[in-house]
Amino acid sequence: MSGFPIDKFNNLQTPFYYYDVDLLRATLRTVKECADAYDLHIHYAVKANANPRILAIVKEYGLGVDCVSGGEIKAAADVGFAGSDIMFAGVGKTDDEIRLALETGIRCFNVESLPELLNINEIAAQTNNMTHIAVRINPNIDAHTHQYITTGLNENKFGINLENLGEFVSTALSLPNIDLCGLHYHIGSQIRDLEPFEQLCDKVNDTLAYIESLGAQITIIDVGGGLGINYDDPDSEPIVDFKKYFEIFARNIKRRPDQQLHFEPGRSIVAQSGSLITRVLYVKEGTAKKFVIVDAGMTDLIRPALYQAHHKIENISSHSSVDDKYDVVGPICESSDCFGTDERLPLTGRGDFIALRSAGAYGEVMASQYNCRRLPGSILSTELL
Ligand code: LLP
């Protein structure tokens, strides 16, 4: 991969996230065009990357946002998203967050339990608000993804199970400060095989018919996010096939003209445009292995340690035609602080820049300060011109 302005990296403190703005913009353009073709509404999932400069670019393309905390609502409002562009989801909304959302005039709460519904009604009554809500339904679909990022099965903590839906809907319809106007689903993340999305469409059609038979008037059908990206070979697929993905829903969901179809993609929008740039501190010869010790660790990119995820590793400094096999590890005092084992890299030495690719989603935003480390910095390609 030659697209990195390495000469400009020399003055920057590593590790840092580098965002390719051209790719981010190209991705957003594609999303917008494909969505418009089918009259779909896109709310970017802020949890994937809440960097204010990234959020500001997302906003330029007319997308809304999906937020899961008061902090995310503030981050979105700070870059200029209007309340009416914000959906608010999450299983554990605090009273303060609910008040903040009401003050911000958000579009809709995605509600995940009966006690939460009652609490939102009570707080909305105190402030004389009529509140739009969507019920998050757990459709019991196996998304065939990592166990920590599958969400649509009955044993997950998310959403209302189908057998409890009737009670939830009749309660919602009886509450004076609640307007139940939406259905919400999300079956998991990093879903590469699109078949579970087809199953989801069938479930949506069934539940929509059922919930309408109970007297609810549904105007928002929100099918969540989850579209996966190519981590193994990012350059072969820098932008995922949004058209194919959207088409599945546009074709299969039986919606009326007054019903909006909403999506909440996170990863598929921002992942490929970000890389974590780190420097080699030492190359250490073990008995049977060679270790490349870099200055980024699991505190900067936790996905490998947490989900056994693999981000493509590239030595972007070395031009050696000879390669070798290395374990690429960070400096943190944990054995799981490892980015790759037996990685084939060109001969690597102290001071080389290493890029951990496809790290624009759930990278910077999940960084921590374990070991009293500083948080990674970030830079946009446009800031280096
Ligand atoms: N909507 C809801 C309700 C969600 O829970 C999520 C992600 C999304 C939308 C966005 O999903 P996406 O399009 O990004 O797949 N930290 C994990 C991923 C956790 C995803 C949580 N929910 C990772 O690094 O793989």
Side-chain angles (χ1 to χ4, degrees), residues 45 47-48 66 89 136 149 184 186 188-190 224-227 264-268 303 307 361-362 366:
K47 64 172 81 65
D66 158 45
R136 173 153 178 191
I149 51 177
H184 177 226
H186 173 77
S189 196
Q190 184 50 18
L227 179 61
E264 300 166 344
R267 185 189 320 262
S268 53
R303 303 194 68 258
Y307 316 114
Y362 307 109
M366 290 180 80

Side-chain angles (χ1 to χ4, degrees), residues 143-294:
H144 308 300
T145 182
H146 191 276
Q147 55 166 342
Y148 287 3
I149 51 177
T150 186
T151 50
L153 283 169
N154 269 346
E155 63 261 31
N156 291 126
K157 69 178 173 181
F158 301 101
I160 308 272
N161 291 338
L162 293 171
E163 58 268 30
N164 305 118
L165 186 59
E167 185 193 3
F168 183 97
V169 171
S170 51
T171 308
L173 292 176
S174 72
L175 293 173
N177 293 80
I178 295 289
D179 173 18
L180 169 61
C181 64
L183 297 184
H184 177 226
Y185 302 81
H186 173 77
I187 58 172
S189 196
Q190 184 50 18
I191 300 170
R192 292 283 283 163
D193 163 14
L194 301 183
E195 198 270 333
F197 292 123
E198 307 231 1
Q199 282 182 48
L200 174 59
C201 293
D202 293 340
K203 296 269 181 170
V204 170
N205 290 331
D206 291 349
T207 23
L208 181 60
Y210 170 62
I211 208 168
E212 289 186 330
S213 76
L214 298 176
Q217 302 230 342
I218 298 302
T219 51
I220 296 176
I221 302 165
D222 182 341
V223 292
L227 179 61
I229 58 126
N230 191 337
Y231 281 100
D232 298 329
D233 189 7
D235 294 322
S236 71
E237 204 183 342
I239 302 176
V240 297
D241 194 342
F242 284 102
K243 183 168 186 295
K244 191 165 164 198
Y245 168 66
F246 287 147
E247 211 168 58
I248 291 175
F249 293 90
R251 197 181 55 232
N252 290 310
I253 290 185
K254 300 183 186 111
R255 60 173 162 154
R256 293 190 312 263
D258 66 331
Q259 286 175 328
Q260 296 181 347
L261 189 48
H262 288 213
F263 291 77
E264 300 166 344
R267 185 189 320 262
S268 53
I269 293 184
V270 287
Q272 297 294 27
S273 60
S275 296
L276 177 61
I277 307 295
T278 175
R279 263 189 133 141
V280 176
L281 293 171
Y282 306 106
V283 178
K284 167 172 160 173
E285 307 256 350
T287 331
K289 291 226 175 217
K290 284 186 184 151
F291 295 95
V292 167
I293 303 169
V294 294

